[in-house]
Amino acid sequence: MSTDTETQEGAQSEDWFASAKKIYPMATHGLFRRIKWTLLFITLGIYYFLPFIRYDRGPNAPDQAVLIDMEAKRAYFFFIEIWPQEVYYLTGLLIIAAVALFLMNAVAGRIWCGYLCPQTVWTDLFLWVERKVEGDRRERIALDKDPWTFGKVRKRATKHFFWLMIAWWTGGAWVLYFNDAPTLVWQLLTFQAPMVAYIWIAILTTTTYLLAGFMREQVCIYMCPWPRIQAALTDEKALNVTYRWDRGEPRGSLKQNKKLAAEGLPAGDCIDCYQCFQVCPTGVDIRKGMQLDCIQCGLCIDACDNIMTKIGKPTGLIAYDTDENIERRIEGKEPVYEIVRVRTVIYAAIIALVGAIMLFTLLNRDFSDISVLHDRNPVFVEQSDGTVRNGYTVRLANKRRHDRSFMLHVEGMPPNTLVEAVGVEATFAGRPIVSVGPDTTREVRVLVTSPPWVKMPHSTPVTFRITESVMGEVVTANDTFKAPGTP
Amino acid sequence: MSDTHNKEVDQISGVETTGHEWDGLKELNNPLPKWWLYLFYVTIVWAVIYWVLYPSWPLISSYTSGVLGANQRLEAIQAYDDGVAGRSEFADKIVAASLDDIAADQELLQFALANGQAAFGDNCAPCHGSGGTGAEGYPNLQDDTWLWGGTLDDIHTTLLYGIRSGNDDARIGEMPAFGRDELLSREEVSQVSNFVASRAGLETDDGVDLAAGQTLYVDNCAACHGENLEGIQELGAPSLNSANYLYGKSLEAIKAQVNNPRNGVMPAWVDRLDPATIKSLTVYVHSFGGGQ
């Protein structure tokens, strides 16, 4: 390969590819930093310790407040118990979650990303570890350039050890939601836990370690679809982290701007100290305006406010504000903040509606259930005495935590119709009494025989009605009774 | 790899060419990405390791079996054995329990019905139909007409030893071939068939002496089929009043049966299925609803 080819190729690849610049976010303090710490404590506290909260459900039931029991096919959340066929509650939760994200966006852009997103929260935690071990921005930049001395190895090893511990704990907490937590912790420690638990811990440890330790802002910029979607969800009235260039420009060093101001020339409040850029977890210079990479975390606001306080200028050079307000201030009008507007009201209404529907269905759900399946082969049986028999597979569900029995009645058939349930002896007035164990289902074969001397039509709609013997709870299912003949 | 003398670089793209040329078109040499190549090498290494560990290369009459000794056939047999072992807990209970106990116990009943359904599809459906509805010559197990009785015990016995199966305990009932063996004349066969048809509510031939047919019936048929055509279950003689005839309910079918009867065979399952499965089948067939 000739040299000029190499230079040509080299030049091209530099044009085409840029390797990601490593960013070294600096520590800051202030209102938004405090909010972020608080939310981090609350969310991680919930995540790590929720499985250990006990909730008594009586005997023969798990006493874990939040549990997804795959084996028994049940999900528990405090006083709520969800069966697999009620998984639509999850749909409701997802709808609420989605609309809540829309609402956040309409109010203040990507605040989800800045404050509550797991990626942000764990990255924040990992950064905190990094700062504790390696020091702040300046020390970390220096450390990266240092040769590999014993001290550097020790720092790096310490950092990765703590990262891995946090990541491992994160994966570990995840599996506790799927099994009785104290039992599982003991099993994990004594290597008796099921293999699937270890696999999940391994997967989530790896992902936490990689995403929060190494990829960080790359996830927000390149992997996550949310930045693309939010462009369609935010508008000119949404509060975004905004550099108020009307006040800040023209920027210049403190000295220069003071000099300009003394001469009566225009001078902005921005002293070009780059603090806002240095604290930014995604490496954004917010003074360039709204960008895809900005996650609305407000750390630059804290950093800038600290500087403004030091130089005796009013705070709020960078603030949660709207583009509209900058225009208004230039025109000399008062800024407006419209949190309540059509868009936010509609989102809030949708959340309220879905929440209300979910609450209503939850409070009014039946604690028993019936499903009926008509025999397909044969559809009906003609008996020697001229009667017609239909077979059905009926499944009864008892969602209470104690034995219950149900009286089965088939409506829509002529009088003296015979209803039998295979394996069920007990009857009341000719109606089978089917007992079902606690929190389980029972399948019985039900035979319905038309009375003698009654010519049944080709198809008769019938209703299977079960009545719970104590509470009188009634559940029905519809089916048909078939007989010879043409429709 | 190639000689470095005549490297030609394409002016437009700055990429060297392979030296191949077709009608003035030159092929550029853009090598594959490194990661792609290395991944390819990894797959080659993977394949070689696989050959060593697992069965891979076919030989003339065998194959290289690999050092891990993996064998899918053995795995399948093992899986089958595991399945049998997994069922054994219930199967043992089923063998130990009486038929009535199985029908009364919720857990055992569920297992027996599921097990019976599977076994029925494998062993019984070819004759009796997948729903147990039978066909001409093959009894319907869904209705309430039973040649040999429809109690749990009756069904169990039939399943174990079969009907005319050659088993020592098999139930045997033979209808004589009245026409073929010339026990009755052609005219007498017609008379008795018409008599039965008339009692069973079928159309009869014109000008047939039904009274003679009745006399013939009492002399020749009543011993098995009963005075009132009600059939005798102990002999496997069907009721002739029933709505359901095994070999078809028509005058022609009755004549054919009197003339040269068909005597169907049900195999004995005692040596072919394990006791738990036979019991499960009994409960399953009884649960069709026709059981007595």
PDB file of all heavy atoms in Angstrom, chain A residues 419-432:
ATOM      1  N   VAL A 419     -78.723 -32.002  34.811  1.00  0.00           N
ATOM      2  CA  VAL A 419     -77.377 -31.435  34.787  1.00  0.00           C
ATOM      3  C   VAL A 419     -76.501 -32.246  35.734  1.00  0.00           C
ATOM      4  O   VAL A 419     -76.788 -32.321  36.926  1.00  0.00           O
ATOM      5  CB  VAL A 419     -77.377 -29.951  35.206  1.00  0.00           C
ATOM      6  CG1 VAL A 419     -75.963 -29.409  35.207  1.00  0.00           C
ATOM      7  CG2 VAL A 419     -78.255 -29.133  34.271  1.00  0.00           C
ATOM      8  N   GLU A 420     -75.459 -32.873  35.190  1.00  0.00           N
ATOM      9  CA  GLU A 420     -74.559 -33.653  36.027  1.00  0.00           C
ATOM     10  C   GLU A 420     -73.134 -33.140  35.856  1.00  0.00           C
ATOM     11  O   GLU A 420     -72.756 -32.737  34.767  1.00  0.00           O
ATOM     12  CB  GLU A 420     -74.563 -35.127  35.610  1.00  0.00           C
ATOM     13  CG  GLU A 420     -75.910 -35.796  35.640  1.00  0.00           C
ATOM     14  CD  GLU A 420     -75.922 -37.020  34.743  1.00  0.00           C
ATOM     15  OE1 GLU A 420     -75.892 -36.859  33.503  1.00  0.00           O
ATOM     16  OE2 GLU A 420     -75.951 -38.125  35.304  1.00  0.00           O
ATOM     17  N   ALA A 421     -72.386 -33.170  36.941  1.00  0.00           N
ATOM     18  CA  ALA A 421     -70.966 -32.857  36.855  1.00  0.00           C
ATOM     19  C   ALA A 421     -70.187 -34.114  37.215  1.00  0.00           C
ATOM     20  O   ALA A 421     -70.406 -34.695  38.279  1.00  0.00           O
ATOM     21  CB  ALA A 421     -70.603 -31.720  37.794  1.00  0.00           C
ATOM     22  N   VAL A 422     -69.312 -34.562  36.307  1.00  0.00           N
ATOM     23  CA  VAL A 422     -68.577 -35.809  36.522  1.00  0.00           C
ATOM     24  C   VAL A 422     -67.683 -35.672  37.748  1.00  0.00           C
ATOM     25  O   VAL A 422     -66.909 -34.722  37.856  1.00  0.00           O
ATOM     26  CB  VAL A 422     -67.736 -36.161  35.280  1.00  0.00           C
ATOM     27  CG1 VAL A 422     -66.856 -37.364  35.568  1.00  0.00           C
ATOM     28  CG2 VAL A 422     -68.641 -36.428  34.102  1.00  0.00           C
ATOM     29  N   GLY A 423     -67.808 -36.605  38.672  1.00  0.00           N
ATOM     30  CA  GLY A 423     -66.967 -36.600  39.866  1.00  0.00           C
ATOM     31  C   GLY A 423     -67.494 -35.712  40.966  1.00  0.00           C
ATOM     32  O   GLY A 423     -66.839 -35.509  41.972  1.00  0.00           O
ATOM     33  N   VAL A 424     -68.691 -35.146  40.770  1.00  0.00           N
ATOM     34  CA  VAL A 424     -69.279 -34.289  41.804  1.00  0.00           C
ATOM     35  C   VAL A 424     -70.534 -34.979  42.328  1.00  0.00           C
ATOM     36  O   VAL A 424     -71.486 -35.209  41.569  1.00  0.00           O
ATOM     37  CB  VAL A 424     -69.637 -32.895  41.244  1.00  0.00           C
ATOM     38  CG1 VAL A 424     -70.342 -32.068  42.305  1.00  0.00           C
ATOM     39  CG2 VAL A 424     -68.376 -32.197  40.767  1.00  0.00           C
ATOM     40  N   GLU A 425     -70.505 -35.351  43.614  1.00  0.00           N
ATOM     41  CA  GLU A 425     -71.633 -36.079  44.186  1.00  0.00           C
ATOM     42  C   GLU A 425     -72.713 -35.127  44.686  1.00  0.00           C
ATOM     43  O   GLU A 425     -73.904 -35.345  44.526  1.00  0.00           O
ATOM     44  CB  GLU A 425     -71.149 -36.976  45.348  1.00  0.00           C
ATOM     45  CG  GLU A 425     -70.201 -38.090  44.903  1.00  0.00           C
ATOM     46  CD  GLU A 425     -70.870 -39.101  43.980  1.00  0.00           C
ATOM     47  OE1 GLU A 425     -72.078 -39.352  44.143  1.00  0.00           O
ATOM     48  OE2 GLU A 425     -70.171 -39.627  43.086  1.00  0.00           O
ATOM     49  N   ALA A 426     -72.232 -34.027  45.331  1.00  0.00           N
ATOM     50  CA  ALA A 426     -73.179 -33.154  46.031  1.00  0.00           C
ATOM     51  C   ALA A 426     -74.075 -32.412  45.050  1.00  0.00           C
ATOM     52  O   ALA A 426     -73.613 -31.901  44.026  1.00  0.00           O
ATOM     53  CB  ALA A 426     -72.414 -32.152  46.888  1.00  0.00           C
ATOM     54  N   THR A 427     -75.375 -32.400  45.387  1.00  0.00           N
ATOM     55  CA  THR A 427     -76.297 -31.614  44.574  1.00  0.00           C
ATOM     56  C   THR A 427     -77.260 -30.891  45.501  1.00  0.00           C
ATOM     57  O   THR A 427     -77.438 -31.263  46.652  1.00  0.00           O
ATOM     58  CB  THR A 427     -77.124 -32.494  43.615  1.00  0.00           C
ATOM     59  OG1 THR A 427     -77.790 -33.490  44.400  1.00  0.00           O
ATOM     60  CG2 THR A 427     -76.272 -33.138  42.556  1.00  0.00           C
ATOM     61  N   PHE A 428     -77.870 -29.837  44.966  1.00  0.00           N
ATOM     62  CA  PHE A 428     -78.928 -29.150  45.685  1.00  0.00           C
ATOM     63  C   PHE A 428     -80.049 -28.919  44.683  1.00  0.00           C
ATOM     64  O   PHE A 428     -79.849 -28.229  43.689  1.00  0.00           O
ATOM     65  CB  PHE A 428     -78.440 -27.823  46.257  1.00  0.00           C
ATOM     66  CG  PHE A 428     -79.534 -27.028  46.913  1.00  0.00           C
ATOM     67  CD1 PHE A 428     -79.985 -27.360  48.183  1.00  0.00           C
ATOM     68  CD2 PHE A 428     -80.132 -25.972  46.238  1.00  0.00           C
ATOM     69  CE1 PHE A 428     -80.995 -26.635  48.771  1.00  0.00           C
ATOM     70  CE2 PHE A 428     -81.151 -25.252  46.827  1.00  0.00           C
ATOM     71  CZ  PHE A 428     -81.581 -25.577  48.103  1.00  0.00           C
ATOM     72  N   ALA A 429     -81.206 -29.522  44.942  1.00  0.00           N
ATOM     73  CA  ALA A 429     -82.337 -29.423  44.037  1.00  0.00           C
ATOM     74  C   ALA A 429     -81.914 -29.782  42.615  1.00  0.00           C
ATOM     75  O   ALA A 429     -82.304 -29.115  41.656  1.00  0.00           O
ATOM     76  CB  ALA A 429     -82.937 -28.017  44.079  1.00  0.00           C
ATOM     77  N   GLY A 430     -81.121 -30.817  42.506  1.00  0.00           N
ATOM     78  CA  GLY A 430     -80.718 -31.284  41.179  1.00  0.00           C
ATOM     79  C   GLY A 430     -79.611 -30.473  40.552  1.00  0.00           C
ATOM     80  O   GLY A 430     -79.234 -30.724  39.412  1.00  0.00           O
ATOM     81  N   ARG A 431     -79.081 -29.481  41.293  1.00  0.00           N
ATOM     82  CA  ARG A 431     -77.981 -28.695  40.728  1.00  0.00           C
ATOM     83  C   ARG A 431     -76.670 -29.098  41.407  1.00  0.00           C
ATOM     84  O   ARG A 431     -76.610 -29.103  42.644  1.00  0.00           O
ATOM     85  CB  ARG A 431     -78.235 -27.199  40.954  1.00  0.00           C
ATOM     86  CG  ARG A 431     -79.505 -26.745  40.271  1.00  0.00           C
ATOM     87  CD  ARG A 431     -79.862 -25.341  40.657  1.00  0.00           C
ATOM     88  NE  ARG A 431     -81.149 -24.967  40.069  1.00  0.00           N
ATOM     89  CZ  ARG A 431     -81.723 -23.791  40.267  1.00  0.00           C
ATOM     90  NH1 ARG A 431     -81.157 -22.891  41.046  1.00  0.00           N
ATOM     91  NH2 ARG A 431     -82.876 -23.515  39.698  1.00  0.00           N
ATOM     92  N   PRO A 432     -75.637 -29.420  40.624  1.00  0.00           N
ATOM     93  CA  PRO A 432     -74.374 -29.852  41.220  1.00  0.00           C
ATOM     94  C   PRO A 432     -73.755 -28.756  42.091  1.00  0.00           C
ATOM     95  O   PRO A 432     -73.811 -27.566  41.742  1.00  0.00           O
ATOM     96  CB  PRO A 432     -73.479 -30.138  40.010  1.00  0.00           C
ATOM     97  CG  PRO A 432     -74.393 -30.241  38.854  1.00  0.00           C
ATOM     98  CD  PRO A 432     -75.596 -29.420  39.166  1.00  0.00           C
TER      99      PRO A 432
END
